[in-house]
Amino acid sequence: MNFSPHRSLLAATVLALSLIAAPAQAALRVFACEPEWAALTQALGGTLVEVSSATTALQDPHQIQARPSLIARMRNADLVVCTGAELETGWLPLLLQQSGNAKVQPGQPGNFAAADLVRKLEVPTTVDRSQGDVHAAGNPHIQTDPRNIAAVATGLASRLQQVDPPNAAQYAQQAAAFQQKWQQAMARWNTQAAPLRGQSVVSQHKAFAYLYDWLGLKEVAVLEPKPGVEPSAAHLQAVLATLKATPARMVISAVYQDAKPSEWLSGNAGVPAVRLPFTVGGNDAAKDLFSLFDDTVARLLAAGAGK
Ligand SMILES: [Zn+2]
């Protein structure tokens, strides 16, 4: 071998320069549609991801404006994490189209739909748009059941590994840590929430089907005459009449919804109105996915304990 000290010095210099010139490994840019998926991606990705949410807990996720700042964020995204199941049909397709970002289009690895990972409730046998803003793919509000969060976490962790292979081992490790902590939290919530089983409730919007399925709550009436249609005075009177025959323990709304219909029923039927955070950031207590469910269970128990 013709060893040349000069050549090896040159090689070392080139290597050093290239290391200096190489940009630090940029974080994976994630566009989440809702705060719960932003929180979950952050929990699974840690410092490997840079996450933003298109909506806040105080916005109705069915309908937001596809404003330019969101299009810009979508254009730069490496991964889009949304609910799917038609929740975002009013705005997401437009954002995707306007972004011109090929890697996050539906069917690409950069496009992740959480609802694909769970069994949907309330899937209509026939779709009739006259029935209001129906959820033809089933109820999309899957984040209200922590078992769904666990299922989505499994799928999302795999997807993060797929779109960012150099960091696959770290995603796997962080996902395992999350799942362990989540299973422990679910056991705690199951124990705490046991007294709620079988209680009858009224919902303002059909936003909590998965929560009720998990906790064994019974929805006896809905304040919206059709999904997405504001409760009318006549419909509220009809619900009030229903409650005479089938009493409920509480009336439940999400913080992004108008509080008035629930408050009206609460005052007239003499049952507590419960405002649930619905997602991360819905109130001061719901700072992450764990405290979201801590707060949700605590509010339901407080309302259910009263008479
Ligand atoms: Zn809905």
Side-chain angles (χ1 to χ4, degrees):
M1 187 179 283
N2 185 11
F3 179 73
S4 155
H6 283 104
R7 180 168 294 178
S8 98
L9 182 62
L10 180 66
T13 307
V14 168
L15 179 67
L17 284 173
S18 71
L19 284 175
I20 293 164
Q25 181 66 47
L28 193 78
R29 281 169 300 203
V30 181
F31 180 109
C33 283
E34 291 85 23
E36 63 271 24
W37 308 133
L40 184 60
T41 308
Q42 193 64 68
L44 299 174
T47 56
L48 299 175
V49 295
E50 188 187 297
V51 190
S52 65
S53 175
T55 59
T56 73
L58 301 181
Q59 287 176 302
D60 181 348
H62 301 89
Q63 39 205 349
I64 60 161
Q65 292 299 315
R67 48 183 205 281
S69 62
L70 289 178
I71 296 168
R73 267 198 258 164
M74 181 69 86
R75 186 171 297 132
N76 294 316
D78 300 305
L79 176 65
V80 168
V81 180
C82 295
T83 298
E86 300 189 3
L87 176 64
E88 303 99 349
T89 41
W91 52 277
L92 184 57
L94 184 66
L95 279 183
L96 285 166
Q97 188 208 333
Q98 301 270 313
S99 76
N101 183 347
K103 67 182 170 189
V104 297
Q105 299 301 317
Q108 297 300 312
N111 188 297
F112 179 87
D116 291 351
L117 277 297
V118 309
R119 180 180 57 93
K120 254 80 74 203
L121 300 176
E122 299 178 348
V123 180
T125 46
T126 59
V127 175
D128 177 358
R129 296 284 167 190
S130 74
Q131 291 309 300
D133 183 16
V134 289
H135 298 129
N139 192 308
H141 305 297
I142 61 168
Q143 86 282 3
T144 61
D145 180 343
R147 297 171 300 185
N148 288 348
I149 300 289
V152 174
T154 301
L156 184 53
S158 302
R159 188 62 68 89
L160 287 166
Q161 295 175 59
Q162 186 187 351
V163 296
D164 188 12
N167 292 311
Q170 195 175 333
Y171 288 117
Q173 194 181 28
Q174 287 166 178
F178 174 83
Q179 290 285 9
Q180 193 187 6
K181 222 178 133 197
W182 194 251
Q183 294 302 325
Q184 289 166 355
M186 279 207 288
R188 185 176 77 240
W189 296 321
N190 285 335
T191 305
Q192 289 170 342
L196 294 168
R197 199 152 285 280
Q199 289 192 6
S200 296
V201 300
V202 177
S203 318
Q204 184 157 329
H205 172 69
K206 288 187 84 62
F208 301 101
Y210 297 89
L211 178 75
Y212 302 160
D213 183 60
W214 170 47
L215 296 178
L217 291 165
K218 282 186 351 213
E219 184 178 70
V220 294
V222 180
L223 298 186
E224 290 181 349
K226 296 171 181 177
V229 176
E230 287 302 310
S232 63
H235 186 72
L236 288 175
Q237 290 290 353
V239 171
L240 185 60
T242 302
L243 294 190
K244 296 234 158 55
T246 319
R249 299 292 287 267
M250 62 190 90
V251 52
I252 298 175
S253 61
V255 290
Y256 77 82
Q257 293 162 338
D258 180 6
K260 286 190 207 79
S262 290
E263 282 168 2
W264 182 89
L265 189 76
S266 171
N268 285 278
V271 296
V274 183
R275 298 282 276 172
L276 292 182
F278 191 57
T279 184
V280 175
N283 60 33
D284 289 345
K287 292 183 196 317
D288 59 19
L289 289 165
F290 291 91
S291 48
L292 167 66
F293 284 95
D294 284 336
D295 183 73
T296 299
V297 169
R299 281 172 193 274
L300 292 170
L301 284 169
K307 190 64 208 106

